[in-house]
Amino acid sequence: MEQYETLLAAVAAPAGDGREVFDPATGDLIAAAPADTTAALDDAVARAVAAQPAWAARSDEERRQALHRMADAVERSADALAELLSREQGKPLNGPNARFEVGACATWLRVTADTPLPTEVVVDDGTDYAELHYRPIGVVGVITPWNWPMLIAIWQIAPSLRMGNTVVAKPSEYTTLSGLALLAVLNQELPEGVLNPVAGAGDLGAALVVKPELGKIMFTGSTATGKRIIEASAGNVTRLTLELGGNDAGIVLPDADPVAIAENLFWGAFINTGQTCAALKRLYVHDSVYDAVCLALVEVAKAMPMGVGLDEQNVLGPLQNRMQFGVVDRLVEAAKASGARVLLGGEPDRDQPGNFYPTTLIADIDPQNPLVVEEQFGPALPIVRYSDVEEAIALANAADVGLGASVWSGDRDAARAIAARVQAGTVWINSHGGVHPMIPFGGVKQSGYGLEFGTEGLKSVSAPQVVNG
């Protein structure tokens, strides 16, 4: 089993080099993160190109077994990975946080390894015969975010490797150490050049996406950055999977039981302290149950401890960086200035060393308030009152993004009828944000395009080929 100190030493920059990384909960120095040059990026791409033919030549069964060995490696180092993730990203060890994320990495590797992708016979009528196969693309560039830096990396790396591609992976500059640590553990079970880490800021990512050697780019992050990737990669006609910004809506119908749904509502909004692309970010509640839902949410939220991630009792942590703290603070202050009612929180200690923003619930807020129409990406939930479900659907669909949404009701058929009218890649019923390695996931509108997970995820990192005859 890898120890925390050993793992950190393996990925940190030498003393005096790199960029200092501080714990977002305490302000303490963790280590220095390496920063690669464009020459190092060139070398990583060249290694990936050189290694790809031999990796693709392995049988599907051999690559599947490699993914299982990678899962074993993650499990062997789970404690060290979770500790580093908690220190650098800020998320607590417990709850749906650091230990959960590391465990999910192993699960996703195993399920991706075992997902079937048989050859499809598309025509066999006695005269014509054609099969649809899925071949490797070549080299896949992976650029991952800071909110779920290990799990989202696995979402992109595991199917890419399974399908015979090699990978160049760049973790976020905000969670470089966590990303590199995961890649180091995975590389214990892979041949040289199959999985190639690079570390740096946005300029390195920009240099990666224009590489003509890349056949595919997978990116999770903001819509603004996604648009730049589309433009930069267009000259190479590079395939893209983009999971971009979201501002997920939830609609609570009048027959919902406020107490029964309160905890699921809370975790839908506040998992990872609200720093999740497909978190519940604006909640529309029917007037007949509005006050009861607000009261039930406050009771759940008050019971959820927030603090330093390494303290075992905490389930909510700090915002990962001061920039995001500023975004949440600005939006909550705008809501307060408009006369919206603060049910809980809303008064951060701006002088503390950590980036803690208190769990905040805002009621009686105008549906056009900035806290509602902008993505806050933090622990502040606006709760909007409505009286006509048509109004709630229109408000939910007014955003230019559509990653996820949810409908809350005691009548599943009624909820599904509403869900069919909501413009989002996934609509959950009586829950929000849960993902499954066999259920396809992706957004609509400016939340990006392309599907991940399951069979569709394997297809997305493959080049389809028809064999006709």
Side-chain angles (χ1 to χ4, degrees):
M1 181 178 70
E2 197 107 38
Q3 298 299 314
Y4 168 79
E5 292 80 7
T6 305
L7 186 60
L8 179 60
V11 298
D17 292 339
R19 174 184 52 82
E20 291 184 329
V21 176
F22 298 92
D23 186 326
T26 64
D28 295 340
L29 177 66
I30 300 172
D36 287 329
T37 63
T38 54
L41 172 62
D42 293 343
D43 289 343
V45 172
R47 289 194 301 271
V49 170
Q52 197 274 328
W55 181 247
R58 293 193 178 204
S59 68
D60 182 54
E61 176 61 24
E62 288 176 307
R63 293 194 299 268
R64 291 173 56 199
Q65 290 305 313
L67 263 62
H68 277 289
R69 292 193 300 273
M70 291 157 66
D72 293 340
V74 168
E75 289 169 346
R76 288 195 302 268
S77 297
D79 289 344
L81 288 168
E83 181 175 348
L84 180 53
L85 178 60
S86 182
R87 288 179 185 271
E88 184 181 38
Q89 200 281 336
K91 63 183 65 184
L93 291 171
N94 290 323
N97 293 298
R99 288 176 177 138
F100 168 85
E101 181 170 351
V102 173
C105 288
T107 297
W108 237 272
L109 282 160
R110 295 194 193 285
V111 175
T112 303
D114 294 338
T115 299
L117 185 59
T119 298
E120 302 174 36
V121 177
V122 292
V123 173
D124 184 9
D125 59 8
T127 302
D128 294 305
Y129 181 85
E131 295 177 346
L132 180 59
H133 297 258
Y134 292 90
R135 312 298 192 194
I137 293 172
V139 179
V140 176
V142 163
I143 302 175
T144 47
W146 49 259
N147 57 334
W148 294 88
M150 294 185 182
L151 183 54
I152 292 178
I154 291 294
W155 290 353
Q156 299 176 357
I157 292 167
S160 297
L161 298 184
R162 161 74 191 277
M163 297 310 296
N165 306 292
T166 53
V167 171
V168 179
K170 190 196 91 65
S172 167
E173 58 267 38
Y174 290 102
T175 49
T176 302
L177 297 172
S178 299
L180 293 179
L182 175 67
L183 297 174
V185 169
L186 299 178
N187 265 323
Q188 294 171 3
E189 301 296 339
L190 288 170
E192 174 68 25
V194 170
L195 177 59
N196 303 275
V198 293
D203 57 345
L204 194 73
L208 175 62
V209 300
V210 298
K211 289 289 186 184
E213 297 93 337
L214 269 59
K216 171 91 179 187
I217 297 166
M218 305 185 78
F219 170 76
T220 299
S222 72
T223 297
T225 302
K227 290 178 179 179
R228 291 196 293 271
I229 290 173
I230 293 169
E231 294 170 356
S233 64
N236 297 322
V237 198
T238 309
R239 291 170 172 83
L240 301 174
T241 293
L242 302 174
E243 196 256 88
L244 307 178
N247 192 7
D248 287 16
I251 300 174
V252 178
L253 300 182
D255 67 345
D257 181 335
V259 174
I261 67 174
E263 188 163 348
N264 279 351
L265 281 172
F266 175 84
W267 283 117
F270 293 98
I271 187 171
N272 198 27
T273 315
Q275 301 166 107
T276 296
C277 299
L280 174 60
K281 299 190 172 85
R282 48 195 173 113
L283 183 63
Y284 301 96
V285 182
H286 191 270
D287 183 74
S288 64
V289 291
Y290 186 86
D291 291 336
V293 167
C294 288
L295 178 62
L297 263 175
V298 168
E299 291 305 307
V300 171
K302 287 194 302 186
M304 299 295 180
M306 175 183 286
V308 175
L310 296 182
D311 292 345
E312 295 281 350
Q313 76 275 11
N314 293 323
V315 295
L316 299 171
L319 290 159
Q320 199 283 324
N321 55 78
R322 204 66 183 178
M323 173 190 68
Q324 199 58 42
F325 180 98
V327 170
V328 177
D329 196 16
R330 171 180 62 83
L331 292 173
V332 172
E333 290 303 307
K336 290 161 61 178
S338 75
R341 180 163 54 106
V342 178
L343 301 175
L344 185 70
E347 295 293 339
D349 179 357
R350 298 178 181 87
D351 297 322
Q352 64 185 322
N355 299 329
F356 289 100
Y357 197 95
T359 305
T360 299
L361 298 168
I362 305 285
D364 298 331
I365 185 169
D366 186 278
Q368 302 307 317
N369 188 276
L371 181 59
V372 181
V373 298
E374 297 181 33
E375 183 183 22
Q376 71 276 53
F377 214 71
L381 178 66
I383 310 171
V384 179
R385 188 190 302 262
Y386 77 89
S387 57
D388 181 353
V389 72
E390 295 298 324
E391 173 195 10
I393 295 169
L395 289 169
N397 288 341
D400 60 1
V401 289
L403 189 56
S406 54
V407 182
W408 305 75
S409 172
D411 183 338
R412 189 169 296 274
D413 290 337
R416 285 175 172 161
I418 300 298
R421 301 174 58 196
V422 175
Q423 297 166 2
T426 299
V427 182
W428 291 273
I429 307 297
N430 293 328
S431 66
H432 195 111
V435 290
H436 186 286
M438 289 300 294
I439 299 176
F441 179 74
V444 300
K445 299 196 278 191
Q446 293 194 34
S447 287
Y449 45 74
L451 289 173
E452 299 179 85
F453 312 161
T455 300
E456 295 303 318
L458 295 178
K459 292 178 180 179
S460 76
V461 289
S462 308
Q465 181 188 59
V466 173
V467 178
N468 194 333

